[in-house]
Each structure stands twice: as C-alpha cells, then as structure tokens.
C-alpha cells in the first residue's frame, strides 16, 4: 500500500514538496472512487502507521522519500508494532 502511494504520486522524482498528510489525504480521496468503504477504512488504518512513522522520523516532505526509507518503515512495522504475521503479509 505504501508502495502504491509512492507510485501514485511519484515520490522521489517530484520537484514540488508534498507532506505525508497531504499525500495520504489525496490517495484516500482517490481511493473512495475505486474501492469499497471497508477497503478505504482498512487502508486508512495502515496509513496512520505510516504517518506516525513519518512524524517519529521527522519526514515532512515525501518528494525526497527513497526506497531505503520505505524499507526502514517496513522493518519498523515488522519489528516494533507487535503486529501479527497475517497483518504483515497484507501490508
């Protein structure tokens, strides 16, 4: 999901800045047109974790987000949140 968020807004290749909150808001707004309400709620739940991670790591501009940053987020989720294996596979 975070990867599709990154692809949707082409982070890392943008010259203009975009905050994590704005990117998530735009992504979810577009998702409302494509997905069921329950899917949007589920995505919001997972994206909240991404926003928290951005805040904890002082990431204020996603235009400079790298693949390594996304990997670090994935590892942080795996190692730090106490999420179960089924949840991990769906992220």
């Amino acid at each position: 999901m975070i990867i599709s968020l990154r692809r949707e807004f082409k982070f890392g290749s943008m010259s203009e800045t975009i905050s994590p909150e704005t990117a998530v808001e735009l992504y979810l707004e577009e998702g409302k047109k494509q997905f069921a309400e329950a899917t949007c709620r589920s995505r919001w739940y997972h994206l909240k974790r991404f926003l928290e991670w951005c805040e904890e790591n002082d990431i204020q501009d996603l235009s400079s987000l790298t693949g390594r940053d996304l990997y670090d987020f994935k590892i942080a989720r795996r190692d730090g949140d106490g999420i179960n294996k089924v949840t991990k596979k769906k992220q």
Side-chain angles (χ1 to χ4, degrees), residues 32 41 52 58 64 75 82 88:
K32 288 179 183 178
R41 275 194 310 269
E52 291 167 0
D58 198 31
S64 62
I75 296 304
K88 288 179 196 174

Side-chain angles (χ1 to χ4, degrees), residues 11 21 29 39 54:
F11 303 148
E21 296 81 7
E29 190 62 38
T39 300
C54 286

Side-chain angles (χ1 to χ4, degrees), residues 7-85:
R7 272 190 225 121
E8 182 79 22
F9 296 102
K10 297 178 177 62
F11 303 148
S13 65
M14 295 175 21
S15 58
E16 75 179 65
T17 63
I18 187 167
S19 72
E21 296 81 7
T22 299
V24 167
E25 183 180 311
L26 292 170
Y27 178 78
L28 291 173
E29 190 62 38
E30 186 63 27
K32 288 179 183 178
K33 300 172 188 173
Q34 301 176 27
F35 306 113
E37 185 178 332
T39 300
C40 290
R41 275 194 310 269
S42 175
R43 288 181 179 210
W44 166 241
Y45 170 80
H46 295 295
L47 288 168
K48 278 191 335 186
R49 304 298 173 250
F50 176 70
L51 292 175
E52 291 167 0
W53 177 82
C54 286
E55 186 174 327
E56 291 166 4
N57 290 278
D58 198 31
I59 296 172
Q60 299 171 8
D61 174 17
L62 296 185
S63 66
S64 62
L65 196 66
T66 66
R68 177 60 191 219
D69 294 323
L70 295 175
Y71 174 79
D72 290 345
F73 169 70
K74 182 177 179 180
I75 296 304
R77 286 284 292 145
R78 182 191 72 201
D79 293 346
D81 286 352
I83 56 177
N84 68 42
K85 291 180 182 180

